[in-house]
Each structure stands twice: as C-alpha cells, then as structure tokens.
C-alpha cells in the first residue's frame, strides 16, 4: 500500500482519541465482542447498513451504541484514504456516511479536517442523530459543520482541535457562507467540489429555468387570448378536418369573416354536424365489413372442421 493511500492520523493510537468512558464501554459491550468474526472492511460496512439507525454515542445510560462500536471496529482496521472516500460518498445509507465523518473527526490530522469535511457542509441528505420516538433529525451538511466547530457530540467529548486550526476553519466556513449567499447558493457551491465526489445540484438554477419557462408560457397564453373567437373556432375545426376543406369552403370562410359571432358559431355547428354524419357513415360501413368478415371466418372454420371429420 503506497503512502498516498495512507491516512495521516494523530493522537492516541490505542483508544482512537475517545473519551475514557465511551472507550471502556465499547470494550465491555457484548455487541462489540460479537464483531470479532468480522474481519473485512466490507463486512463492517454491511453491518452498519443493517444495524445503525442513528449516530448517538450512548444507549440506556452509558452503554455504547451500535454506531460507536462499529466506529471503533473500523479503527482496528486502520482505514485507507480510498476506503474512507468510499464511506463518506456511500449511496446506500446516510449512516455509513455519518460513521465515516465521525472516523475522520476522531483520528484525522486537524490540519486536514477542512479538506475532508468542508466540501460537504451544504449536503442536504437527511439523517437521524438520536433514537427514540422523536429522534433528533439533521443533515449530512449540519453534521459536518457540527464536527468542525463543536467540541461536544451528544453526550461525549470530541478531540480538541488546536486553536489556530479551529480559527482558520471557522473563517473558512464564514467565507464559504458569505460567498454562497452572494451567489444565491447557486453555481458557486459546486466550484468547491472539484475533487470528483458527488454533490447536490443547485436548486436556484433550476428555479430560474422554471421561471423562464413560466414566463414563456404566460406570453403564449396571452397571445392565444388575444385571438378572435372566430380564429379559435377555425383552428379547432381545421385540426379535425385536415385537408378535407376544398377551395370553395376556404373562400366562403374568408368571405364570412365579417359576419357576427353568432353566425360564425352556427356555421361552425353546421359543419361539425356534417362531419359527424360522414364519420358515422364510414363507421357503419366498416362495422358491416367487420361483421361480414367475422361471419365469413366462422363459416370457413365450420367447413374446415366438417372436412376434417
């Protein structure tokens, strides 16, 4: 494994920089002990997918949660850069992603935290942070902001970030928010995401395109409303008749344009009635033909059957 695929870590190599209480409770957890047979990265990821439903550190007092037991199990394998990228960009479960971000917050070198978590601070995928009948809901973006700016995480302590690095992270978040606000949260949000990881698209751009479509629709609707009743009736009639109008009909329509709307409407009804009668005649002819064909086929089958007998 090359050095480029090795994650630079810091702090306590034994307890993963965990608070002593949660570390001891993880080691004493029957669930953590049941993970002994899971030896591969993919087995643990599958376990997160099947068993993790929130990121709370504790359940029932100080009992270590499933999420934190699996988090420490991943630490025993010393994940590579590629494996961590697979976690935080996973498409199957936000909890797989959440465990990946927690892993980075606990062991990644502080100077690299912004490079890892910064591009995700506006990620809107939803995630439950706590369990219960009314779980605390959040998003991946809010989780990343919390991990970058807070020292506490739902009842446990996070590793302390050196003050100069913490100030630099806060400044970068403020700058990011200021620039995003200036751009309306649009295209510029994606400029920071040049690492090739999947990101959410700009909703403002979509809204602008939707508005432009709406304005064109309004123009066309106003244009159609401005047309005369006669022209609307004529276009509706022409769409049904197609090319059946001969030159005399078109000449008569042009000649009658100056007629009153009532006369135009009566004329339209008369033409429509004639068209309906022609269609009924054609339909009845086709019906007779089809009934004859069916009776002929029945007689033919009967004759064939008699010959076979």
């Amino acid at each position: 494994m090359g050095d480029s695929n090795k994650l630079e870590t810091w702090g306590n190599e034994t307890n993963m920089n965990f608070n002593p209480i949660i570390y001891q409770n993880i080691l004493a957890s029957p669930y953590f002990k049941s993970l002994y047979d899971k030896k591969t990265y993919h087995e643990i990821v599958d376990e997160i997918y099947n068993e993790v439903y929130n990121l709370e550190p504790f359940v029932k007092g100080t009992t270590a949660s499933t999420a934190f037991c699996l988090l420490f199990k991943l630490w025993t394998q010393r994940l590579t850069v590629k494996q961590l990228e697979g976690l935080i960009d996973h498409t199957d479960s936000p909890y797989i992603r959440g465990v990946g971000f927690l892993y980075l917050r606990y062991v990644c070198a502080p100077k690299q935290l912004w490079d890892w978590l910064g591009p995700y601070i506006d990620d809107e995928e939803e995630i439950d942070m706590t369990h219960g009948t009314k779980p605390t809901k959040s998003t991946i973006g809010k989780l990343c902001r919390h991990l970058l700016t807070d020292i506490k995480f739902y009842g446990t302590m996070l590793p302390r970030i050196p003050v100069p690095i913490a100030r630099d992270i806060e400044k970068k978040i403020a700058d990011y928010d200021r620039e995003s606000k200036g751009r309306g949260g649009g295209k510029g949000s994606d400029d920071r995401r040049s690492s090739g990881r999947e990101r959410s698209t700009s909703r403002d751009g979509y809204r602008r395109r939707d508005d432009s479509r709406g304005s064109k629709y309004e123009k066309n609707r106003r244009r159609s409303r401005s047309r005369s009743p006669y022209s609307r009736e004529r276009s509706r009639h022409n769409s049904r008749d197609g090319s059946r109008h001969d030159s005399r009909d078109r000449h008569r329509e042009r000649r009658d344009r100056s007629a009153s709307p009532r006369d135009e409407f009566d004329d339209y009804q008369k033409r429509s009635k004639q068209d309906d009668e022609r269609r009924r005649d054609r339909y009845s002819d086709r019906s007779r033909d089809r009934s004859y064909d069916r009776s002929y086929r029945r007689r033919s089958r009967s004759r064939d059957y008699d010959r076979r007998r």
Side-chain angles (χ1 to χ4, degrees), residues 103-148:
Y103 187 100
L104 287 165
R105 179 61 178 87
Y106 272 99
V107 303
C108 178
K111 62 183 179 181
Q112 295 180 359
L113 278 175
W114 173 255
D115 293 335
W116 277 101
L117 275 65
Y120 296 87
I121 62 175
D122 61 353
D123 193 308
E124 295 184 353
E125 184 173 12
E126 293 185 349
I127 186 171
D128 287 351
M129 301 304 298
T130 64
H131 70 287
T133 56
K134 293 183 179 180
T136 302
K137 295 186 177 294
S138 185
T139 64
I140 292 294
K142 291 179 181 178
L143 169 64
C144 290
R145 287 174 182 264
H146 183 104
L147 295 176
L148 287 169

Side-chain angles (χ1 to χ4, degrees), residues 121-122 172-180 189 192-193:
I121 62 175
D122 61 353
K172 287 177 178 176
I173 292 177
D175 292 342
Y176 179 89
D177 291 340
R178 191 181 307 110
E179 291 172 8
S180 296
S189 298
R192 286 181 175 265
R193 301 165 182 172

Side-chain angles (χ1 to χ4, degrees), residues 236-245 275 278-279:
R236 196 179 305 137
H237 177 65
N238 287 343
S239 66
R240 277 204 295 261
D241 286 352
S243 59
R244 287 202 301 263
H245 280 299
D275 293 339
R278 284 196 293 270
R279 280 195 293 271

